[in-house]
Amino acid sequence: MSAAESAGELIDVSEPAEQSPHDSQLDAWDAATGEILKGFPQVMDSLQFFDQPIVADLAGSRGNAYAVEASSDSDLRALDAAGREAPGSPS
């Protein structure tokens, strides 16, 4: 999993006077095939600066692993491999 930006952000960076529509994203892919997982990309509320998601079991011994990621505007997301929010998420 990794933080990502849409193509609109690339245009914004290369053309500072333009503000193209864009979004910040969380991407996840299958390490064996390199393909993006079905429930991704997921849109984040804002930019993700100098960070990477962590993977944690948030549901106890029977739970699944979740990617936990935060943005610059206090958006905290916890998503499983299918792109589903963890119980109680988003915060």
Side-chain angles (χ1 to χ4, degrees):
M1 299 196 170
S2 68
E5 294 293 325
S6 65
E9 179 66 13
L10 177 64
I11 294 168
D12 282 349
V13 170
S14 63
E15 301 291 332
E18 300 295 321
Q19 288 296 304
S20 302
H22 66 278
D23 52 36
S24 297
Q25 305 169 349
L26 180 63
D27 294 345
W29 58 91
D30 183 318
T33 66
E35 294 180 18
I36 291 281
L37 294 177
K38 222 181 240 188
F40 291 86
Q42 290 282 329
V43 175
M44 294 291 291
D45 184 43
S46 188
L47 296 173
Q48 302 147 79
F49 290 108
F50 306 116
D51 67 347
Q52 289 296 314
I54 62 169
V55 176
D57 179 358
L58 302 178
S61 61
R62 296 185 321 243
N64 295 324
Y66 290 89
V68 181
E69 175 69 328
S71 74
S72 61
D73 284 342
S74 302
D75 179 27
L76 181 63
R77 305 277 311 272
L79 303 153
D80 70 8
R84 295 180 299 248
E85 299 280 352
S89 182
S91 64

